[in-house]
Amino acid sequence: MSMDRRSFLVSLALIPPALYWSSALWAAGSASDAFREVSRIITGADNLTPGAAARIEALLTERHAGFAAHLAALHKTLATSTSREAGLSALSGTDLDTALIIAKPWYLGYVGTPSGRILEDDAAFATFLEMQAYAKTGGIIPAQSYPPGPAGWWRDTPRGVDASDLPEGATTWAYQPLKHYTIAAPDPAWHAYAEGRFDSIEAARAALGQEARK
């Protein structure tokens, strides 16, 4: 079941905050201080580090026009709220959009949309250790990782594998060995079979062979 934007913010408001709501939280500071304070309210976590906050703020500022102004407005809105729950639950319009933009990288650990089907996407890493999707369940579920061996396992060639040198210029995962690709014409029988014109590849070959002899 999908969750709409307001329900998501309300659910965040129900997370027990790790900090007390007080005017001291809203002490004057830099833009990064404001971002970290707003992030603490949204996530309910009091242990967000300045480094992760700075990375996320920089990425969002780069990708969302007017983000600094929207952050300042959201900061002011939350500062005038009587409580964390009331502040998050009452957000609307641009304030709501900005809160969700800030929440996403804190919970997922990245901005943008990663893709496993293309070599380059618009995703950018933000944080792993402070990814709140794992931090909230850290005492029960370990953070997701898939190391196939101990530290440094990638240094040695696996047994039985003849690893040739990488081509010159292959310095990133986005490397493509060819500048231009030529797509070969499909086998007519397989093409016809894939289109559902025949029940089997044998029937397709037989039919096309008969047609070729006519």
Side-chain angles (χ1 to χ4, degrees), residues 146-156:
Y146 302 99
W153 62 269
W154 59 87
R155 294 179 304 176
D156 301 322

Side-chain angles (χ1 to χ4, degrees), residues 37-211:
E37 290 164 359
V38 168
S39 297
R40 290 164 68 191
I41 296 304
I42 291 174
T43 63
D46 195 26
N47 59 346
L48 306 179
T49 65
R55 282 195 302 275
I56 293 175
E57 183 182 13
L59 288 168
L60 296 181
T61 299
E62 177 184 348
R63 292 169 180 242
H64 297 277
F67 179 76
H70 296 160
L71 171 63
L74 175 60
H75 183 269
K76 182 178 180 180
T77 298
L78 292 175
T80 58
S81 300
T82 57
S83 69
R84 174 174 176 268
E85 292 79 2
L88 291 177
S89 299
L91 293 179
S92 62
T94 302
D95 281 344
L96 176 59
D97 292 338
T98 304
L100 291 169
I101 287 172
I102 293 172
K104 180 178 177 179
W106 278 119
Y107 273 82
L108 301 181
Y110 58 83
V111 298
T113 305
S115 173
R117 296 183 296 174
I118 57 177
L119 291 174
E120 295 187 46
D121 52 38
D122 68 345
F125 171 78
T127 180
F128 177 74
L129 295 179
E130 296 181 60
M131 192 189 314
Q132 297 302 302
Y134 293 137
K136 300 303 182 187
T137 59
I140 304 172
I141 304 173
Q144 183 181 23
S145 61
Y146 302 99
W153 62 269
W154 59 87
R155 294 179 304 176
D156 301 322
T157 303
R159 182 179 302 174
V161 174
D162 179 15
S164 58
D165 293 334
L166 289 174
E168 183 178 355
T171 58
T172 70
W173 288 109
Y175 172 77
Q176 299 183 52
L178 299 177
K179 295 294 184 181
H180 302 284
Y181 295 87
T182 300
I183 300 177
D187 176 89
W190 278 105
H191 193 192
Y193 176 46
E195 289 181 329
R197 291 159 50 192
F198 300 97
D199 294 332
S200 67
I201 184 62
E202 291 77 12
R205 290 194 186 284
L208 292 176
Q210 291 173 357
E211 292 175 3

